[in-house]
Amino acid sequence: MLYTQTLFKEHTERKKKEKKKLEKKMGRGKIEIKRIENSSNRQVTYSKRKNGILKKAKEISVLCDAQVSLILFGASGKMHEYISPSTTLIDILDRYQRASGKTLWDAKHENLSNEIDRIKKENDSMQIDLRHLKGEDITSLNYKELMALEESLENGLTGVRDKKMEVHRMFKRNGKILEDENKELNFLLQQHMALEGVGNMHGQWI
């Protein structure tokens, strides 16, 4: 009798466990893909799935050395994006345009983009030249480049010295002009005082 009860209990427990596993499995079943009517539930689902898809984009980029560009706009209009560190959105769009044959922008925009790239490259080059002139980041320069840099510095220093001398001469010339004008004013003042003195003396004699 005791043995039978034990078997029955084990059978019951096993059935309960199987039922729980079945319920759990059914709970993970596919949901119907349609618009979620409840706005709160819709926002929660978007947030969860947005984080999931961004995570997957990062994973495939790292694991498979893939170039990924992902842009999401929620119902509120807020944007979320992921771009593989090894590329840029512009490069991705250019590759898509070439591969698909679809035109994403007209010639005017393409020319503008090329002009922006050109100006950016010029600016980067000028920044590098400026650092070199300040004596920074010059370890990678070869002998010819160092000679050219030294010549540029010497030409610049010569120009600064010439300008300095020009300013000094102008300052000196202006000082001489002021000195001459001051002497002339003193002379006129002395003449005026002398004439007033003569006039006073003549009045006393009369």
Side-chain angles (χ1 to χ4, degrees):
M1 184 68 178
L2 181 60
Y3 177 72
T4 304
Q5 290 178 347
T6 303
L7 288 176
F8 178 77
K9 185 176 181 181
E10 290 178 352
H11 178 74
T12 303
E13 291 294 333
R14 187 167 60 252
K15 286 294 183 180
K16 287 182 178 179
K17 289 181 180 180
E18 290 176 355
K19 184 178 180 181
K20 287 183 178 180
K21 287 183 179 179
L22 182 60
E23 289 176 349
K24 189 174 182 180
K25 186 176 180 180
M26 291 179 64
R28 291 181 178 177
K30 293 183 179 179
I31 65 171
E32 185 179 0
I33 302 300
K34 65 177 184 179
R35 184 177 185 273
I36 301 173
E37 297 299 330
N38 185 284
S39 60
S40 297
N41 294 342
R42 187 166 60 246
Q43 181 59 35
V44 170
T45 302
Y46 172 78
S47 180
K48 289 181 179 179
R49 300 212 170 196
K50 177 257 298 179
N51 293 336
I53 196 171
L54 287 173
K55 182 180 178 182
K56 292 297 182 183
K58 294 177 184 178
E59 289 177 354
I60 195 172
S61 177
V62 175
L63 294 174
C64 306
D65 197 25
Q67 293 186 338
V68 180
S69 175
L70 175 64
I71 302 174
L72 299 173
F73 286 95
S76 64
K78 186 176 182 180
M79 183 187 77
H80 298 87
E81 64 176 334
Y82 173 77
I83 309 294
S84 298
S86 59
T87 188
T88 64
L89 178 59
I90 297 298
D91 291 338
I92 288 285
L93 292 176
D94 284 340
R95 290 184 62 182
Y96 173 80
Q97 186 172 243
R98 291 194 298 269
S100 66
K102 297 179 180 179
T103 302
L104 300 180
W105 42 69
D106 56 24
K108 180 180 178 181
H109 291 130
E110 188 171 356
N111 291 336
L112 180 60
S113 177
N114 293 336
E115 182 67 12
I116 292 174
D117 290 340
R118 184 187 66 79
I119 294 174
K120 185 178 182 299
K121 289 178 181 178
E122 286 184 359
N123 182 64
D124 293 341
S125 178
M126 290 174 63
Q127 292 294 330
I128 293 173
D129 292 340
L130 180 59
R131 288 198 297 271
H132 289 167
L133 290 173
K134 293 165 64 177
E136 301 174 358
D137 302 336
I138 60 175
T139 54
S140 61
L141 299 181
N142 57 38
Y143 181 78
K144 185 177 180 180
E145 291 170 332
L146 289 171
M147 288 292 293
L149 178 60
E150 183 181 20
E151 182 179 356
S152 297
L153 289 170
E154 288 177 350
N155 291 337
L157 185 59
T158 300
V160 171
R161 286 172 176 167
D162 291 342
K163 186 63 178 179
K164 178 183 174 183
M165 291 301 299
E166 179 184 345
V167 172
H168 177 72
R169 287 193 296 268
M170 183 176 65
F171 179 78
K172 198 171 181 180
R173 184 170 61 251
N174 291 341
K176 184 67 170 59
I177 293 173
L178 289 174
E179 184 179 354
D180 292 342
E181 289 179 350
N182 188 50
K183 287 180 179 179
E184 184 177 356
L185 288 173
N186 285 332
F187 176 74
L188 293 174
L189 180 61
Q190 290 176 2
Q191 280 189 330
H192 180 70
M193 292 176 64
L195 289 174
E196 284 187 347
V198 171
N200 291 335
M201 291 178 61
H202 181 68
Q204 291 176 1
W205 290 341
I206 296 174

